[in-house]
C-alpha cells in the first residue's frame, strides 16, 4: 500500500495546478458574476487535453488513468468549480457512455472527437419530474423502421449550452421500468433538438446548464448505445465513475477555501495579534485539513480501484458522500473564519460555499449514496 503519488502523477498535478492558476483564476470571478462560461477557456481545455485524460490514445485521448483525472478535477476545482463540472460531465458521463458501450464504429465517430480536443459532450438523464427515479422519466424513443423517433425534455443538462455531442436516455418500453430505458448519442444540429436558456442557480453559476427539448427527433438505430433496454445500466455505470470526479471536485473546493482562509488569517490582525496566532484558529484549521485529507484519500482509493478494474462503485459512493459533506462543512467554516470579509464577494470563499452545495446533489444525493453503500454491504 503506497500513499504517495508517482512521479508521473506529481507532474500531472503540477501541470493542472499551473493551468488553474494561470488560465482560470483570472476569469473565475467574472464567469461567476456574469453566469457565462468563457468559450476561450473551453478551447484551452480541449487544446491541452483536459477533456480526454483517462481515454486511450487509440481514440485520440491522453492515455492517462482515473487517478490522473481525479487530480485534474481537484486542482481545477480549487480555483473554480464551474470549470470542474464542465470537465466532469464531459469526461465521466458523456465520454464514458460511448467508451464503455459503443461499437468500434461509434467510438471512432462519437468518442474520438470528444477526447481528441475537437468536441464537447453532455449527458441528458434528469427530467423535470424524474431525477433519482429514472423509471419515472417521460422521454420516449419509438422505433419507426430503421430510425428512432424521440420526444421529451431533459433538464439540468450540464454543458448543453455549447456541447456538440448529446448522450440522451429515453424509454423504449415503459412497461419494463428501468429495463425499458435505452441510450442514444446524437449531434447538436439534429433536427428537433432544441437547447433552452441557461437555468439560473445558486452555485456553479458559470457552468452551462439548460433544459433540452426533443421534438420528433429522428436518429438511425446505429446511434443507439448498447442494446435496447441497456440505458439504465449505461447511465448507472457512468454515474459510478462520475462520483469519483465529484468527490475530487468537492475535495478541491474544500482545499481551495481553506487555502484562502489560511492566507487571510495570517494577515488579519485583531487585538494586536494575527488571527493565525490564536489557538482556537489553529485548532479549527487543523480539524478542517484533517477532514480534507480523509476525503482526498477516499477519492484516490476509489480512483485507483477503478483503474485496477475492481468493484469501485461502493468506494466511489463513499468518497462522494464524505467529500461532499465535508466540502460544505469546510467552506462554511472558512467563511466564518474570515468573518464579514468571507461573506463578501471581495474574496472567493463565498463563491466556494455556494458551489459546495451542489456536490451533495448531483451524481446522486447523499441518501442515494447511502443506498449504494448499504446495498454493497448486504445488510438487509
Amino acid at each position: 500500500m503506497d500513499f504517495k503519488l508517482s512521479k508521473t502523477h506529481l507532474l500531472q498535478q503540477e501541470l493542472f495546478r499551473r493551468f488553474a492558476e494561470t488560465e482560470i483564476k483570472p476569469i473565475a470571478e467574472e464567469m461567476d458574476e456574469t453566469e457565462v462560461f468563457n468559450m476561450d477557456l473551453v478551447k484551452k481545455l480541449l487544446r491541452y487535453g483536459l477533456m480526454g485524460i483517462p481515454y486511450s490514445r487509440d481514440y485520440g485521448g491522453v492515455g492517462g488513468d482515473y487517478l490522473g483525472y481525479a487530480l485534474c478535477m481537484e486542482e481545477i476545482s480549487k480555483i473554480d468549480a464551474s470549470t470542474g463540472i464542465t470537465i466532469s460531465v464531459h469526461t465521466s458521463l458523456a465520454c464514458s457512455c460511448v467508451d464503455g458501450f459503443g461499437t468500434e464504429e461509434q467510438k471512432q465517430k462519437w468518442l474520438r472527437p470528444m477526447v481528441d480536443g475537437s468536441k464537447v459532450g453532455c449527458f441528458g438523464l434528469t427530467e423535470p419530474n424524474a431525477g433519482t427515479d429514472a423509471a419515472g422519466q417521460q422521454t420516449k424513443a419509438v422505433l419507426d423502421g430503421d430510425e428512432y423517433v424521440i420526444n421529451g425534455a431533459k433538464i439540468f443538462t450540464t454543458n448543453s449550452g455549447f456541447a456538440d455531442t448529446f448522450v440522451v436516455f429515453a424509454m423504449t418500453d415503459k412497461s419494463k421500468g428501468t429495463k425499458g430505458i435505452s441510450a442514444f448519442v446524437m449531434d447538436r444540429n439534429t433536427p428537433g433538438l432544441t437547447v433552452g436558456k441557461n437555468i439560473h442557480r445558486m452555485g456553479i453559476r458559470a457552468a452551462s446548464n439548460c433544459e433540452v427539448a426533443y421534438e420528433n427527433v429522428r436518429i438511425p438505430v446505429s446511434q443507439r448505445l448498447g442494446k435496447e433496454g441497456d440505458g439504465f445500466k449505461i447511465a448507472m455505470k457512468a454515474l459510478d465513475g462520475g462520483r469519483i470526479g465529484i468527490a475530487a471536485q468537492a475535495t478541491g473546493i474544500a482545499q481551495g477555501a481553506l487555502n484562502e482562509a489560511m492566507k487571510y488569517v495570517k494577515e488579519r490582525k485583531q487585538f494586536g495579534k494575527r488571527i493565525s496566532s490564536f489557538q482556537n484558529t489553529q485548532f479549527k484549521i487543523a480539524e478542517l485539513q484533517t477532514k480534507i485529507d480523509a476525503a482526498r484519500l477516499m477519492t484516490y482509493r476509489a480512483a485507483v480501484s477503478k483503474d485496477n478494474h475492481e468493484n469501485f462503485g461502493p468506494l466511489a459512493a463513499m468518497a462522494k458522500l464524505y467529500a461532499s459533506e465535508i466540502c460544505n462543512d469546510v467552506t462554511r467554516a472558512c467563511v466564518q473564519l474570515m468573518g464579514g470579509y468571507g461573506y463578501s464577494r471581495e474574496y472567493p470563499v463565498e463563491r466556494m460555499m455556494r458551489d459546495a452545495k451542489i456536490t451533495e446533489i448531483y451524481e446522486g444525493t447523499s441518501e442515494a449514496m447511502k443506498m449504494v453503500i448499504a446495498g454493497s454491504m448486504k445488510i438487509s
Side-chain angles (χ1 to χ4, degrees):
M1 186 177 294
D2 189 354
F3 291 96
K4 294 181 180 179
L5 294 174
S6 67
K7 290 182 179 179
T8 298
H9 285 123
L10 286 170
L11 178 60
Q12 289 177 334
Q13 186 182 53
E14 178 57 32
L15 290 172
F16 299 143
R17 185 175 297 154
R18 195 179 308 158
F19 181 90
E21 288 284 346
T22 59
E23 302 292 347
I24 303 175
K25 191 171 185 176
I27 60 174
E29 181 182 355
E30 179 185 1
M31 289 198 301
D32 179 71
E33 290 286 347
T34 60
E35 301 188 35
V36 176
F37 201 84
N38 186 298
M39 294 310 296
D40 286 336
L41 177 56
V42 173
K43 294 175 183 177
K44 290 176 182 177
L45 293 172
L46 292 167
R47 187 188 314 142
Y48 296 132
L50 273 67
M51 305 292 259
I53 293 170
Y55 295 101
S56 172
R57 293 182 184 274
D58 292 340
Y59 299 107
V62 171
D65 55 18
Y66 234 74
L67 178 56
Y69 164 63
L71 294 173
C72 176
M73 282 295 297
E74 182 181 351
E75 293 303 322
I76 297 298
S77 299
K78 282 180 185 178
I79 302 301
D80 181 47
S82 290
T83 306
I85 194 58
T86 299
I87 297 170
S88 175
V89 168
H90 169 91
T91 305
S92 297
L93 303 184
C95 292
S96 70
C97 288
V98 184
D99 183 60
F101 294 88
T103 63
E104 180 61 27
E105 183 180 354
Q106 288 173 329
K107 289 179 183 180
Q108 292 294 347
K109 182 176 180 179
W110 302 101
L111 178 64
R112 178 176 289 279
M114 286 196 288
V115 302
D116 71 4
S118 302
K119 295 184 177 181
V120 177
C122 66
F123 176 91
L125 177 64
T126 303
E127 297 186 0
N129 295 306
T132 303
D133 179 19
Q137 65 177 287
Q138 300 300 310
T139 299
K140 295 180 180 179
V142 178
L143 188 61
D144 181 20
D146 60 355
E147 292 183 323
Y148 281 98
V149 182
I150 301 176
N151 282 280
K154 299 295 180 178
I155 199 167
F156 302 128
T157 305
T158 304
N159 293 352
S160 53
F162 50 78
D164 307 284
T165 303
F166 287 61
V167 173
V168 62
F169 298 82
M171 281 289 184
T172 45
D173 190 341
K174 187 74 173 177
S175 67
K176 293 183 179 179
T178 56
K179 293 183 179 180
I181 301 172
S182 298
F184 305 90
V185 59
M186 66 189 73
D187 186 81
R188 180 188 192 87
N189 297 318
T190 304
L193 190 162
T194 306
V195 180
K197 294 181 179 180
N198 193 44
I199 300 167
H200 296 293
R201 302 170 306 281
M202 178 176 78
I204 55 166
R205 300 199 308 185
S208 171
N209 204 296
C210 310
E211 183 169 359
V212 183
Y214 300 84
E215 186 174 356
N216 294 323
V217 171
R218 283 185 170 270
I219 58 171
V221 173
S222 62
Q223 288 178 218
R224 185 189 68 218
L225 295 172
K227 295 180 293 186
E228 194 168 281
D230 278 351
F232 184 74
K233 176 176 68 176
I234 293 171
M236 294 305 105
K237 188 73 174 176
L239 289 170
D240 275 346
R243 287 163 190 152
I244 298 173
I246 299 309
Q249 179 185 45
T251 302
I253 295 170
Q255 188 67 69
L258 186 56
N259 289 349
E260 291 293 332
M262 286 193 291
K263 284 192 294 185
Y264 177 84
V265 299
K266 288 176 182 178
E267 297 171 357
R268 175 71 167 172
K269 289 185 177 181
Q270 290 288 279
F271 308 105
K273 295 181 179 180
R274 289 186 176 86
I275 297 175
S276 59
S277 68
F278 293 108
Q279 197 173 58
N280 183 60
T281 302
Q282 295 172 4
F283 284 174
K284 189 63 179 178
I285 289 174
E287 175 192 339
L288 299 179
Q289 188 62 65
T290 300
K291 289 181 177 181
I292 295 169
D293 276 25
R296 179 176 291 115
L297 289 171
M298 292 180 75
T299 301
Y300 291 2
R301 179 181 69 166
V304 171
S305 179
K306 187 178 189 324
D307 286 331
N308 290 337
H309 307 289
E310 298 168 352
N311 180 26
F312 70 90
L315 300 181
M318 289 180 188
K320 196 268 186 185
L321 171 66
Y322 183 72
S324 63
E325 288 183 349
I326 70 100
C327 180
N328 281 269
D329 291 343
V330 170
T331 53
R332 282 196 304 269
C334 288
V335 169
Q336 191 70 29
L337 277 169
M338 295 174 66
Y341 286 104
Y343 194 69
S344 75
R345 293 190 181 181
E346 182 179 348
Y347 293 88
V349 290
E350 63 86 24
R351 167 166 52 88
M352 293 169 173
M353 189 178 84
R354 286 188 283 107
D355 290 342
K357 184 57 192 174
I358 193 62
T359 65
E360 291 185 308
I361 299 173
Y362 52 27
E363 311 280 349
T365 62
S366 296
E367 291 72 23
M369 295 305 94
K370 292 172 185 176
M371 289 172 63
V372 172
I373 297 163
S376 71
M377 297 170 67
K378 298 181 174 61
I379 58 178
S380 61

